[in-house]
Amino acid sequence: MVSIKSASEIAKMAEAGKIAAHALNVVGEKLRPGMTTLDIDKIVHREITSHGGEPNFLHLYGFPGSACVSVNEEVIHGIPGGRKLREGDIVSVDLGARYKGWNSDTCYTFAVGEIAPEVKKLLEDTEASLYKAIEAAQVGARIGDISHTVEVYCRERGYGIVQNYCGHGIGREVHEDPEVPNHGKAGHGMRLAEGMTICIEPMINLVGDDVHTLPNGWTVVTDSGSYSAHFEHMVHITANGPVILTKR
Ligand code: MG
């Protein structure tokens, strides 16, 4: 079921969004080669809890970290641990906060030092596809308009699009209806209405669409072994256009 949020509920979600965005900002400031993915997780936990939130990924479906920290060929659900970041790596940090019972969810893929030009372009294009898709999230538009926007933008640039995972509604639960895929037909799917809150999150591969899950049961990696980027915002659908609640 899709829930429509009241103004006071949106205010709490906006606060949850702010806390999550702040945590991502601090990760961006502290990120250095030599750090482990667990170091990032600790920063996320500290920044969310010290700002009045709870890390809502922790124990969600049994996930062991406060953030999903996915390096290079890891697409999503990287488990924080001993993997050390090296110059030239990229790292996707996906996190969310719960504030007074309301959730946020956001992701950014950071470059660790200098990265290869084609990888830099992958990050820029994936982020640009997110902002294009957000523009499509207007009252009266359909979910398929968002999906199609991501698909066209990324296909035109020759990238692979992860199809097995998608964006989602959000509110009291981290994952609510509707699903928001990164590929689809314009003019199809649920119509967007004022008061909906959705997470739009393109997961885009440098090479090929296909992914698989590692034996740890969580971490999704590209079949090609090549890089994957992931950018996500939580968006409030309003009569005056989409409002990003996780703006950094
Ligand atoms: Mg999400």
Side-chain angles (χ1 to χ4, degrees):
M1 213 192 80
V2 175
S3 57
I4 299 296
K5 281 81 178 180
S6 69
S8 72
E9 291 167 347
I10 291 292
K12 288 174 201 139
M13 290 185 72
E15 193 56 38
K18 245 187 232 172
I19 295 167
H22 164 78
L24 270 188
N25 278 338
V26 175
V27 168
E29 286 161 15
K30 307 237 178 226
L31 193 64
R32 299 280 182 279
M35 282 173 82
T36 66
T37 56
L38 186 61
D39 292 333
I40 292 177
D41 187 76
K42 285 179 180 162
I43 293 169
V44 168
H45 190 276
R46 188 188 64 219
E47 293 303 324
I48 290 177
T49 53
S50 67
H51 287 78
E54 299 160 65
N56 55 13
F57 283 21
L58 187 60
H59 309 316
L60 183 66
Y61 316 118
F63 188 75
S66 295
C68 297
V69 186
S70 307
V71 182
N72 294 346
E73 77 288 353
E74 295 174 349
V75 180
I76 49 170
H77 304 163
I79 297 176
R83 185 167 178 172
K84 267 201 174 119
L85 300 175
R86 294 174 307 185
E87 176 95 16
D89 283 348
I90 58 172
V91 59
S92 301
V93 181
D94 192 357
L95 57 83
R98 188 181 304 103
Y99 177 78
K100 295 188 176 170
W102 293 87
N103 288 286
S104 62
D105 183 2
T106 183
C107 181
Y108 191 90
T109 303
F110 296 95
V112 183
E114 280 296 310
I115 58 174
E118 72 272 19
V119 182
K120 188 160 183 264
K121 181 97 171 42
L122 170 71
L123 300 194
E124 289 167 357
D125 289 340
T126 303
E127 189 174 22
S129 79
L130 169 60
Y131 286 102
K132 288 265 175 207
I134 291 170
E135 278 171 37
Q138 304 288 342
V139 169
R142 292 181 183 270
I143 292 291
D145 298 324
I146 296 171
S147 308
H148 187 69
T149 300
V150 173
E151 182 176 14
V152 169
Y153 192 88
C154 295
R155 284 282 184 239
E156 274 175 354
R157 287 160 180 78
Y159 298 122
I161 298 170
V162 176
Q163 322 237 338
N164 317 33
Y165 300 90
C166 61
H168 50 92
I170 184 168
R172 282 203 183 275
E173 304 296 329
V174 177
H175 295 124
E176 297 184 355
D177 288 337
E179 289 195 341
V180 185
N182 293 311
H183 64 107
K185 280 188 187 159
H188 283 65
M190 181 181 289
R191 223 178 255 289
L192 298 175
E194 205 171 349
M196 285 173 63
T197 43
I198 57 172
C199 290
I200 304 176
E201 47 180 319
M203 297 160 231
I204 304 301
N205 300 338
L206 193 58
V207 180
D209 294 356
D210 296 337
V211 298
H212 61 277
T213 305
L214 293 182
N216 69 23
W218 279 105
T219 311
V220 176
V221 298
T222 57
D223 282 8
S224 69
S226 189
Y227 297 88
S228 187
H230 181 198
F231 289 82
E232 174 179 16
H233 272 310
M234 179 171 84
V235 177
H236 174 210
I237 310 300
T238 84
N240 299 320
V243 176
I244 299 172
L245 298 178
T246 44
K247 202 172 238 160
R248 294 176 59 210

